[in-house]
């Protein structure tokens, strides 16, 4: 969940930065409206998007010849306080979201109440509601709100009402309602406040364009905007002629963007919209481990002294070799493993990420194959330059596979070696086969070990040693 939030914020930041740098000052307001809405949607779905990668035989993370060390512990762990911190975070998120959603619904209902029992009129097919609190005209959904005095005053410039009618006809309120709903569930994303400001400003650009199509003459319109700058509606969710961005609106009213420039900016922005699916994707299907391991839950937090103790205990068994860390975990005494497990149990997620070791619960044994190994597979595994073969956890010569038939095996796992392992071992894939009798014994023992923890090391920084 934390990774999803980080990716969502990062994606929305990149796309908003593209808007600010490439699009905001260009006069291509309809595309800008579409871009901002798509950017919002993609920011939240891109981290969920999965690209399938070429399927391979299921991978079992195992390295021949290395010892697996276990520490027996109870099957479950709950911090002394009862609920773990993850539950409290969900409770906090739910409480804040419920509060904001209630506020959101109340604001929507406030506009509904403003239309009930009020005198109305019509302006160019748009409903006008006479509202005493409308210090300046504003619009929401399919209504324009204005005081009766301003509506009947001959000095009220028709271009102001034309501006508000443009907001209504182009359904600008729909964008704001969608954004505010998104903010109630994604209030943790600070970029949404910037998106709201950009969307509202672009709405004003669009409404200004609509007015100038009806009343040509940018000079007079600029004077009208300047005259009404001080009057602000101050009504949440609404659109208003007096939206306080006069300088940028002045620039956009008189600005012209060439077709070539517009096409170039459109291409760049579209490239980033499409690229965010690749920059911030979720995990691809082929990257998922076939047998997920349930790590122990993060603890309440180890003290500074306990963190120093953990690093001191593991230090003698971690060595630097050509910019790589090699862990000689086979030499770690059992009492040291037990103490390290106790310390690891207390650590928070961030603390665990700062140490090179970890503990994971032993996974349940994998099921036997639904179908037999094929004769074609057995023949291909005889290639010693491509495959290293183990039967019942013992390395054999590839040619020895001729002694077996496909019906002799209950399970098979094929793992792809890293570049370093391929260089050292001389083959690309490791094949682990189990005969039926061996698998039955292995399954019984593995089930008994599911309440144990295996000591692990971070794969990206630690290479296992003997």
């Amino acid at each position: 969940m934390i990774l999803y939030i980080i990716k969502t914020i990062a994606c929305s930041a990149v796309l908003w930065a593209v808007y600010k740098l490439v699009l905001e000052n260009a006069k291509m307001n309809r595309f800008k409206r579409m871009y901002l809405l798509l950017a919002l949607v993609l920011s939240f779905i891109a981290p969920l998007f999965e690209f399938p990668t070429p399927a391979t035989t299921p991978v079992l993370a195992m390295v021949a010849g290395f010892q697996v060390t276990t520490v027996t512990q109870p099957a479950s762990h709950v911090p002394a306080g009862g609920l773990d911190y993850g539950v409290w975070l969900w409770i906090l998120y739910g409480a804040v979201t419920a509060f904001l959603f209630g506020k959101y619904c109340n604001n929507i209902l406030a506009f509904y109440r403003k239309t009930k029992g009020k005198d109305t009129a019509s302006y160019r097919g748009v409903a006008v509601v006479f509202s005493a609190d409308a210090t300046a005209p504003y619009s929401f959904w399919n209504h324009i709100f204005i005081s009766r005095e301003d509506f009947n005053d001959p000095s009220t410039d028709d271009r102001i009402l034309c501006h508000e009618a443009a907001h209504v006809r182009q359904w600008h309120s729909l964008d704001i309602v969608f954004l505010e709903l998104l903010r109630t569930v994604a209030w943790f994303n600070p970029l949404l406040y910037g998106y709201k400001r950009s969307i509202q400003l672009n709405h004003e650009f669009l409404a200004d364009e609509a007015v100038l199509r009806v009343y040509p003459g940018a000079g007079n319109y600029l004077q009208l905007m300047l005259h009404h700058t001080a009057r602000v509606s101050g009504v949440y969710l609404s659109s208003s002629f007096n939206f306080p961005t006069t300088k940028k609106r002045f620039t956009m009213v008189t600005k012209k963007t060439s077709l070539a420039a517009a096409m170039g900016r459109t291409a760049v922005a579209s490239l980033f919209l499409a690229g965010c699916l690749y920059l911030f994707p979720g995990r691809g299907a082929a990257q998922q481990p076939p047998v997920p391991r349930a790590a122990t839950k993060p603890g309440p937090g180890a003290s500074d002294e306990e963190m120093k103790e953990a690093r001191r205990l593991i230090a003698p068994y971690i060595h630097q070799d050509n910019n790589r860390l090699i862990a000689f975990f086979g030499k770690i005494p059992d009492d040291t493993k037990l103490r390290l497990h106790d310390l690891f149990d207390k650590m928070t997620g961030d603390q665990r990420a700062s140490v090179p070791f970890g503990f994971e619960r032993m996974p349940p044994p994998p099921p036997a194959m639904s179908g037999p190994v094929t004769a074609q597979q057995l023949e291909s595994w005889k290639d010693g330059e491509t495959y290293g073969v183990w039967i019942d956890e013992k390395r054999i010569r590839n040619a020895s596979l001729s002694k077996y038939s496909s019906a002799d095996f209950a399970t098979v796992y094929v793992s792809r070696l890293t570049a370093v392992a391929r260089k050292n071992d001389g083959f690309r894939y490791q094949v682990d086969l189990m005969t039926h009798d061996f698998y039955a014994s292995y399954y019984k023992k593995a089930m008994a070990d599911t309440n144990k923890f295996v000591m692990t090391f971070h794969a990206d920084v630690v290479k296992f040693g003997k």
Side-chain angles (χ1 to χ4, degrees):
M1 182 63 180
I2 298 298
L3 182 60
Y4 171 78
I5 291 174
I6 292 172
K7 286 186 175 183
T8 296
I9 294 175
C11 185
S12 59
V14 168
L15 294 179
W16 190 51
V18 170
Y19 176 82
K20 298 291 285 186
L21 294 173
V22 178
L23 295 178
E24 185 175 66
N25 295 323
K27 195 166 186 177
M28 40 195 299
N29 301 321
R30 288 178 178 79
F31 176 78
K32 285 155 60 176
R33 181 185 184 186
M34 180 190 70
Y35 174 90
L36 286 168
L37 294 175
L38 279 176
L40 280 173
V41 173
L42 287 176
S43 295
F44 286 89
I45 68 171
L48 301 174
F49 201 87
E50 293 186 354
F51 289 98
T53 55
T56 60
T57 307
V59 175
L60 178 65
M62 58 189 300
V63 181
F66 296 109
Q67 177 182 357
V68 176
T69 63
T70 60
V71 182
T72 303
Q73 290 289 343
S76 62
H77 169 76
V78 179
L83 294 175
D84 65 81
Y85 79 97
V87 175
W88 287 113
L89 286 177
W90 276 111
I91 292 174
L92 174 63
Y93 171 80
V96 174
T97 301
F99 170 76
L100 293 176
F101 184 72
K103 183 179 178 182
Y104 168 84
C105 292
N106 183 64
N107 286 321
I108 296 293
L109 290 174
F111 277 104
Y112 177 76
R113 290 191 291 266
K114 286 177 182 291
T115 63
K116 292 301 176 184
K118 298 292 180 68
D119 293 337
T120 62
S122 178
Y123 174 81
R124 299 190 180 190
V126 177
V128 176
V129 177
F130 296 135
S131 177
D133 63 355
T135 57
Y138 62 89
S139 58
F140 178 75
W141 212 249
N142 56 350
H143 293 84
I144 296 174
F145 296 85
I146 188 174
S147 67
R148 184 188 297 274
E149 292 75 15
D150 284 344
F151 184 76
N152 293 326
D153 189 346
S155 64
T156 299
D157 199 301
D158 189 66
R159 287 172 293 184
I160 296 176
L161 291 174
C162 183
H163 181 98
E164 299 306 326
H167 284 306
V168 171
R169 292 193 180 97
Q170 296 179 29
W171 290 98
H172 292 168
S173 295
L174 196 61
D175 300 357
I176 301 301
V177 167
F178 166 70
L179 175 59
E180 290 298 327
L181 181 60
L182 198 60
R183 283 176 59 185
T184 64
V185 296
W187 46 266
F188 51 80
N189 189 345
L191 274 302
L192 294 184
Y193 297 90
Y195 272 89
K196 181 181 179 181
R197 187 73 175 177
S198 295
I199 287 173
Q200 287 181 311
L201 177 58
N202 193 60
H203 286 171
E204 298 309 312
F205 294 160
L206 288 165
D208 290 339
E209 278 186 351
V211 172
L212 290 173
R213 283 196 295 269
V214 178
Y215 295 99
N220 291 334
Y221 189 64
L222 293 177
Q223 292 180 357
L224 178 67
M225 279 197 289
L226 186 62
H227 178 70
H228 284 78
T229 299
R231 299 179 64 192
V232 181
S233 71
V235 179
Y236 185 73
L237 295 176
S238 69
S239 301
S240 172
F241 178 82
N242 307 306
F243 188 74
T245 50
T246 305
K247 183 177 180 180
K248 291 184 177 181
R249 289 173 65 189
F250 273 20
T251 302
M252 193 58 62
V253 163
T254 57
K255 191 177 185 67
K256 292 184 179 180
T257 299
S258 68
L259 178 61
M263 291 178 64
R265 291 171 188 263
T266 299
V268 171
S270 300
L271 186 64
F272 273 91
L273 283 173
C276 74
L277 294 174
Y278 294 90
L279 290 172
F280 305 96
R283 181 174 294 184
Q287 295 174 302
Q288 299 292 337
V291 184
R293 292 184 174 183
T296 58
K297 296 179 181 179
S303 66
D304 291 341
E305 291 301 318
E306 288 172 326
M307 292 298 296
K308 290 178 182 178
E309 180 185 359
R311 294 188 178 97
R312 177 177 56 80
L313 288 173
I314 199 64
Y317 310 101
I318 301 290
H319 298 283
Q320 190 81 22
D321 179 33
N322 295 327
N323 297 322
R324 292 178 299 174
L325 290 176
I326 301 180
F328 296 90
F329 65 87
K331 298 180 180 180
I332 304 176
D334 288 341
D335 59 342
T336 300
K337 295 172 191 171
L338 286 168
R339 180 56 182 160
L340 286 171
H341 181 271
D342 290 340
L343 294 171
F344 186 79
D345 220 27
K346 295 180 180 181
M347 295 179 191
T348 64
D350 290 339
Q351 288 176 327
R352 291 180 176 187
S354 70
V355 295
F357 66 91
F359 290 88
E360 294 181 349
R361 195 179 304 281
M362 291 288 287
M369 293 184 300
S370 58
V373 172
T374 66
Q376 183 180 4
Q377 287 175 315
L378 283 179
E379 188 64 30
S380 66
W381 292 336
K382 293 179 182 179
D383 179 4
E385 294 185 358
T386 304
Y387 300 98
V389 180
W390 277 253
I391 294 180
D392 295 342
E393 298 184 353
K394 294 180 181 179
R395 177 75 185 272
I396 67 165
R397 298 182 62 179
N398 295 63
S400 299
L401 285 170
S402 299
K403 302 176 183 179
Y404 296 87
S405 70
S406 59
D408 290 333
F409 301 106
T411 62
V412 59
Y413 308 99
V414 179
S415 57
R416 179 182 296 174
L417 274 63
T418 64
V420 174
R422 289 199 298 269
K423 182 178 179 181
N424 293 335
D425 297 331
F427 54 86
R428 297 177 61 192
Y429 298 93
Q430 178 172 320
V431 180
D432 293 275
L433 293 153
M434 290 187 189
T435 59
H436 293 282
D437 290 342
F438 185 89
Y439 175 76
S441 175
Y442 163 81
Y443 184 88
K444 183 178 179 180
K445 183 179 182 300
M447 287 300 295
D449 285 343
T450 53
N451 285 349
K452 295 181 179 180
F453 291 93
V454 59
M455 189 173 188
T456 63
F457 292 86
H458 297 323
D460 56 340
V461 296
V462 177
K463 182 175 177 60
F464 292 101
K466 294 182 181 179

